Amino acid sequence: MFGSLRAQTSYRIGRLDKQQFHHLIRDSKEARTIILETLGERLLLIQQRTLSLPTSRVPIFGRNKDADCHNIREFLAPSTLVPQAV
């Protein structure tokens, strides 16, 4: 996955592999706190944006005991798009 961004102030950027990152959050309380706080803030923003989206109903047409219709409904059930049985 690629993305681009622009810093609002001067920053130094470093690249860490997975092991280095694990060592950083394990060994540095300050780094761990900053990373976890930032992660929490961003997850909250994602949740707020998701909840602000309009919900939709998705009708699924098929026979009453059709396994494929049941599987689709089970797949969608955890999301906000829970279809009504038709």
Side-chain angles (χ1 to χ4, degrees):
M1 175 184 234
F2 293 96
S4 64
L5 55 101
R6 179 176 291 175
Q8 294 178 347
T9 60
S10 297
Y11 278 94
R12 286 188 173 181
I13 297 177
R15 184 179 189 139
L16 303 174
D17 64 26
K18 186 177 179 179
Q19 185 177 14
Q20 290 170 321
F21 180 74
H22 284 287
H23 286 295
L24 176 66
I25 60 174
R26 183 190 68 204
D27 299 338
S28 173
K29 182 179 179 180
E30 183 179 336
R32 181 174 52 250
T33 300
I34 292 169
I35 291 168
L36 291 177
E37 284 177 357
T38 303
L39 177 62
E41 291 168 3
R42 291 181 183 175
L43 288 173
L44 183 60
L45 283 174
I46 291 169
Q47 182 182 30
Q48 290 170 343
R49 289 180 184 163
T50 301
L51 292 174
S52 71
L53 295 173
T55 58
S56 300
R57 294 205 178 266
V58 179
I60 298 175
F61 298 93
R63 296 176 196 245
N64 191 24
K65 306 261 181 184
D66 187 315
D68 289 334
C69 289
H70 178 75
N71 291 341
I72 291 170
R73 188 176 196 297
E74 287 294 314
F75 174 76
L76 293 175
S79 71
T80 57
L81 301 174
V82 179
Q84 298 294 313
V86 177

